[in-house]
Amino acid sequence: MWKYLLCICFVALTLQALPADGQMCPMADDIAPCHCTKDAVTQKLDLDCSNVLDSWQLERIFHARFPSPVFRRLTMAGTEGHRVPLVYLADSVFGNISFSSVVIKYTNISHVGEKVFEKSYDTLESLTFSYSDLQVYPATNLRFFTRLSTLDLSHNKMVFLQDVYSLSLQILNVEHNEHLAFSDKLLTVVPSLLEMSLASCGIESIPPGLFSSAEVLSNVNMEGNKLTHLGGGALAFASNDVLEIILSDNEISSADKDFISGTSASVNLVLMNNRLEELPEAVWRPVLQSLKDEKGSGFVTLDGNPFFCGCKIAWLVTSPDLLNYIARGATCEDGSLIHDLNPEYFTDHC
């Protein structure tokens, strides 16, 4: 009889010691070298596995007993000089554990399974997988993540980015994948996408209509690529909400007259440090006229281009109402500011 009473008391005390929300860390020895912490305010659990040595050890850890299968954040982060030595993440490696946020940085991981975060399909909001050796990310499974808003795959070795289908994604960052390829239908279904960075990806051309299916896209960064020409429809947008397009530090020397459309009157088109020598009126007057007609606050930044300021630029110099929409840093090849050129000279001589 006393045995039963003691058991009942023990169970009652154990249950009383459990948090009301049931969030408990696993036993430290069971998950070493991972480390679990609990936020004193939110009562959420975080897991740091930055010291794991290989995939086998990681899989063993996640097959330990976890009192709670729900975690706020998973971190596996090395440093530039001391990377996490993992090379592959298999589909089953995280067991039944789900996360709201995953940060994986400075690792040797080159491949991941298509369903590696399957248990987080309904919880994952942010995934950072950067400064690693990732060659391909299985983007075809993005459609299954119902809450994913931020995907950062920057600073990897990706050679191909699969077409993106996501109803929830708002920020996509794949910059500094230096040999990245993708199809003309990259942004297949992205109704919530607001920001996208394809900077420093070795891109040589922009397929016509690449961004036209992104209904609310507002910021695009493609600086530091190998673009030489902006063809018709290269910057065609559907939303009229685009606020900033960065194309600096490319090799752009020309553009077709319909290279840009569907932007807002507040758009900032940044083309610093390219190879533009002329601003053909047929190409650039419609761009500047649109900003003027809409009385927008947008402008075009052309600093660092080697402009030849002859009669071909007279149309702009003699149209101060349009010149106002060119940022003041634009200069001629001799260093003179385009804004400081004398319009009367061009009227008399051109």
Side-chain angles (χ1 to χ4, degrees):
M1 184 66 175
W2 286 106
K3 286 185 178 180
Y4 293 118
L5 289 173
L6 287 173
C7 287
I8 292 172
C9 290
F10 176 78
V11 170
L13 289 171
T14 302
L15 291 173
Q16 189 176 5
L18 285 172
D21 57 8
Q23 299 290 297
M24 286 184 62
C25 280
M27 297 294 292
D29 290 344
D30 290 345
I31 62 170
C34 292
H35 179 64
C36 175
T37 56
K38 183 173 182 177
D39 189 301
V41 177
T42 66
Q43 303 296 303
K44 302 293 186 180
L45 301 180
D46 296 327
L47 194 62
D48 191 321
C49 291
S50 300
N51 293 320
V52 294
L53 299 176
D54 52 43
S55 298
W56 178 86
Q57 184 183 54
L58 191 64
E59 188 168 359
R60 175 192 62 79
I61 290 168
F62 280 93
H63 280 80
R65 180 180 177 274
F66 278 73
S68 171
V70 179
F71 279 74
R72 177 176 61 180
R73 174 178 294 199
L74 169 67
T75 301
M76 288 194 294
T79 64
E80 188 173 358
H82 188 269
R83 293 185 162 214
V84 179
L86 289 173
V87 296
Y88 177 65
L89 290 180
D91 284 339
S92 60
V93 71
F94 296 118
N96 292 317
I97 309 305
S98 67
F99 309 100
S100 296
S101 172
V102 174
V103 177
I104 299 174
K105 300 175 67 174
Y106 291 108
T107 76
N108 292 332
I109 297 172
S110 60
H111 293 83
V112 298
E114 289 191 4
K115 298 180 180 180
V116 67
F117 297 115
E118 183 178 19
K119 298 302 180 181
S120 299
Y121 280 166
D122 294 325
T123 61
L124 193 62
E125 298 175 1
S126 174
L127 172 59
T128 296
F129 205 132
S130 61
Y131 293 94
S132 295
D133 294 335
L134 194 64
Q135 295 181 19
V136 176
Y137 180 79
T140 53
N141 69 5
L142 290 178
R143 68 182 65 200
F144 301 120
F145 291 95
T146 60
R147 303 179 65 183
L148 184 65
S149 62
T150 301
L151 178 61
D152 182 352
L153 301 174
S154 64
H155 296 271
N156 279 289
K157 298 180 179 179
M158 294 177 61
V159 295
F160 187 73
L161 180 60
Q162 298 173 341
D163 294 350
V164 179
Y165 185 118
S166 172
L167 300 178
S168 60
L169 193 64
Q170 297 181 16
I171 300 173
L172 176 61
N173 182 4
V174 291
E175 64 188 27
H176 290 278
N177 285 276
E178 297 180 1
H179 303 285
L180 187 67
F182 48 84
S183 83
D184 295 357
K185 304 295 184 182
L186 173 62
L187 303 178
T188 304
V189 178
V190 285
S192 302
L193 189 64
L194 296 172
E195 301 178 18
M196 181 175 188
S197 180
L198 287 161
S200 299
C201 289
I203 300 169
E204 297 180 359
S205 63
I206 303 175
L210 176 65
F211 304 108
S212 60
S213 60
E215 302 168 11
V216 296
L217 189 62
S218 63
N219 295 75
V220 174
N221 185 356
M222 296 188 74
E223 65 183 347
N225 281 294
K226 298 179 180 180
L227 301 173
T228 59
H229 176 74
L230 298 176
L235 300 177
F237 298 92
S239 66
N240 293 318
D241 292 326
V242 180
L243 298 176
E244 185 171 59
I245 306 168
I246 303 177
L247 298 171
S248 299
D249 299 302
N250 277 278
E251 302 170 14
I252 299 169
S253 60
S254 60
D256 291 343
K257 64 179 181 180
D258 56 350
F259 79 94
I260 186 170
S261 62
T263 59
S264 76
S266 301
V267 66
N268 296 328
L269 176 59
V270 185
L271 284 154
M272 295 174 63
N273 303 322
N274 277 280
R275 297 185 179 181
L276 292 168
E277 296 180 356
E278 299 178 354
L279 294 172
E281 184 175 2
V283 174
W284 290 97
R285 178 179 284 276
V287 176
L288 301 176
Q289 190 70 47
S290 176
L291 293 174
K292 176 192 172 186
D293 292 346
E294 296 294 330
K295 296 181 172 58
S297 59
F299 55 87
V300 180
T301 303
L302 298 168
D303 306 27
N305 284 277
F307 289 114
F308 175 69
C309 294
C311 284
K312 289 185 177 180
I313 205 172
W315 72 270
L316 179 59
V317 178
T318 58
S319 303
D321 54 339
L322 299 182
L323 184 58
N324 285 336
Y325 291 96
I326 300 288
R328 286 196 59 85
T331 61
C332 305
E333 58 182 351
D334 66 359
S336 302
L337 289 172
I338 292 178
H339 276 267
D340 290 344
L341 297 178
N342 186 350
E344 294 182 1
Y345 174 86
F346 285 88
T347 300
D348 294 340
H349 294 82
C350 298

